[in-house]
Amino acid sequence: MTSAAGRDTRFTRLLAAATLSNLGDGVRVVALPLLAAATTRDPFAVSALTACIFLPWFLFGLPIGSLVDRSRPETFMAWANTARTVLLALLALALLADVRSMPLLYATAFLLGIGEAAYDNAAQTLVPRVVADEKLEQANSALVTAERVGQDLAGPALGGLLFAVSPALPFGLNAAAMLVGVLLLTRIRTPAPPARPHGPIVRTVVSDAAAGMRWLWRARFIRTIVLTGAALTFFTMAWEATLVLLARGPMGVSESGYGVMLAVGAIGGVAGSLATPALVRRFDRRALQITAIAVTAVLDLALAAYPHPALAALAWGGTGAAFAVWNVLAVTLRQRLVPTELLGRVNSANRTFSMAAVPLGALTGGVVADTFGLRAPLWMAGIALTVVALAYAVLSRDRTGDETARTPGNDENKDEHKVAEPQ
């Protein structure tokens, strides 16, 4: 058992590495599309870049979870960011040599997406290994805050400024930030996972992924959290994907005003993640989760009924805050309830469902808006999330499925695989 000081030191390094990684991601979120737009004016070609970033989660999310469970998560994170550092440095050098093409950007985005999937999964798996159980909400709150500040506030603003100076500069800075993060991760050490049976790597990874999915299917409460989070993402993306048309059209919001609306949303996410530990000390966790879903439903319905710029900013910011509260609590519950040796696979399943919900929700919202008008996705989301909040309130009362869940094929270690209730 490590000392409290050891845990605190390791988490401090993890948080510093995550802050640098998220800042670099935020810089790249703006710089990569700007580079694509400077390379081609074909809308489909530019939009395909986003698909390349999301695609690795569909293809490799579950196998990555299996590999994370077989290794030390900090080692997995270090290797993932080392690979991303090399990719970003090579892209920066290519741009300095005035070498650019869409196939180059597609390949880079796809490979970076694999690295991001590996890093994010391992990071969530590492947290409960270096943080005491009673401090999980505080730790996850700090990590979500770093993510929101880096990816939504500081990173994008910095990325745009650096790109204006030189297209290579944001990618070079991203590589440097990743490299420092790798050095921090190499100072973290956790116990090696239990040895697993050897066999053909593809077969064992597929078998491990299937075992993780079977556990998730039997663990009713965790399954409910995962599917509820996916539904929250799906219906929120349905109206966020078309909000720009509603804002620039009927609401008459200027381009700069629309940017302010997005900034308010990011601030709301930061505020929500910072407030979660204090909320947990005062209120029941389940009540907070239900409230987070209900808040998004109410804001969606209010904006649908009265599409005004001020209310749109409030809806965007309130949704960001509600998402942050939900995410901190959902991640913490998975870390507490899922057996350590399965956490990587369950995290991958959760992220795969959420990633699938993003494009599916956006496409659905576009069809609904095109058919029934620009307010229709908000009405749909508000009504649907009201139902989701009620359904979660009912389904989350029973956690017996998680109390009896076991890792398949490891009955000799039953005591290690028991799932405890949150404190």
Side-chain angles (χ1 to χ4, degrees), residues 9 33 49 114 116 130 161 175 237 256 284-285 305 400 402 406:
T9 300
L49 192 63
I114 296 175
E116 184 173 359
V130 299
L161 292 174
M237 285 305 303
S256 59
D284 176 71
R285 293 176 175 86
T400 56
D402 298 274
R406 297 289 184 273

Side-chain angles (χ1 to χ4, degrees), residues 23-34 53 151-152 155-156 171 174:
L23 179 63
D25 288 343
V27 168
R28 192 177 68 253
V29 161
V30 167
L32 202 57
L34 286 174
I53 296 173
Q151 293 191 18
D152 296 340
F171 302 104
N174 196 349

Side-chain angles (χ1 to χ4, degrees), residues 257-345:
Y258 185 68
V260 171
M261 284 172 49
L262 299 186
V264 168
I267 293 171
V270 173
S273 59
L274 287 174
T276 301
L279 292 173
V280 167
R281 288 192 291 269
R282 293 181 59 113
F283 303 103
D284 176 71
R285 293 176 175 86
R286 176 170 166 269
L288 288 172
Q289 289 181 295
I290 296 169
T291 300
I293 304 170
V295 165
T296 61
V298 170
L299 290 172
D300 293 350
L301 292 173
L303 186 56
Y306 187 59
H308 186 274
L311 188 53
L314 177 63
W316 190 272
T319 298
F323 256 83
V325 172
W326 171 270
N327 285 336
V328 170
L329 293 173
V331 169
T332 302
L333 282 168
R334 290 200 307 273
Q335 290 167 344
R336 283 194 172 124
L337 296 174
V338 179
T340 301
E341 64 274 15
L342 284 166
L343 187 54
R345 281 166 279 178

Side-chain angles (χ1 to χ4, degrees), residues 62-246:
L62 293 176
I64 283 173
S66 300
L67 294 172
V68 169
D69 284 336
R70 286 174 164 269
S71 63
R72 288 185 173 93
E74 68 276 13
T75 302
F76 212 81
M77 294 165 66
W79 279 112
N81 269 12
T82 297
R84 289 201 287 174
T85 298
V86 172
L87 284 169
L88 289 163
L90 290 175
L91 178 60
L93 291 174
L95 294 175
L96 288 174
D98 200 25
V99 176
R100 66 177 70 178
S101 68
M102 290 309 296
L104 173 63
L105 297 188
Y106 293 150
T108 302
F110 182 78
L111 294 173
L112 288 172
I114 296 175
E116 184 173 359
Y119 181 92
D120 289 351
N121 184 306
Q124 290 188 358
T125 305
L126 177 61
V127 172
R129 300 191 185 192
V130 299
V131 174
D133 182 84
E134 66 273 10
K135 294 183 178 180
L136 280 176
E137 277 96 0
Q138 183 179 348
N140 287 315
S141 170
L143 289 170
V144 171
T145 299
E147 182 179 356
R148 295 279 66 83
V149 171
Q151 293 191 18
D152 296 340
L153 285 174
L158 183 60
L161 292 174
L162 293 175
F163 189 88
V165 176
S166 168
L169 195 54
F171 302 104
L173 176 65
N174 196 349
M178 292 280 182
L179 181 59
V180 176
V182 169
L183 297 177
L184 289 167
L185 290 170
T186 58
R187 300 293 303 277
I188 299 174
R189 193 71 172 173
T190 62
R196 296 176 181 271
H198 294 289
I201 185 63
V202 174
R203 180 183 302 174
T204 54
V205 166
V206 171
S207 176
D208 285 352
M213 290 301 293
R214 285 195 300 270
W215 185 92
L216 178 59
W217 183 252
R218 293 206 313 270
R220 288 192 295 272
F221 181 52
I222 296 297
R223 186 179 71 229
T224 298
I225 291 176
V226 170
L227 295 180
T228 301
L232 183 60
T233 300
F234 177 90
F235 289 110
T236 300
M237 285 305 303
W239 69 265
E240 286 189 356
T242 57
L243 179 63
V244 63
L245 300 176
L246 183 65

Side-chain angles (χ1 to χ4, degrees), residues 239 242-247 249-250 368-370 372-379:
W239 69 265
T242 57
L243 179 63
V244 63
L245 300 176
L246 183 65
V368 170
D370 188 53
F372 301 104
L374 293 174
R375 294 193 199 184
L378 283 160
W379 287 115

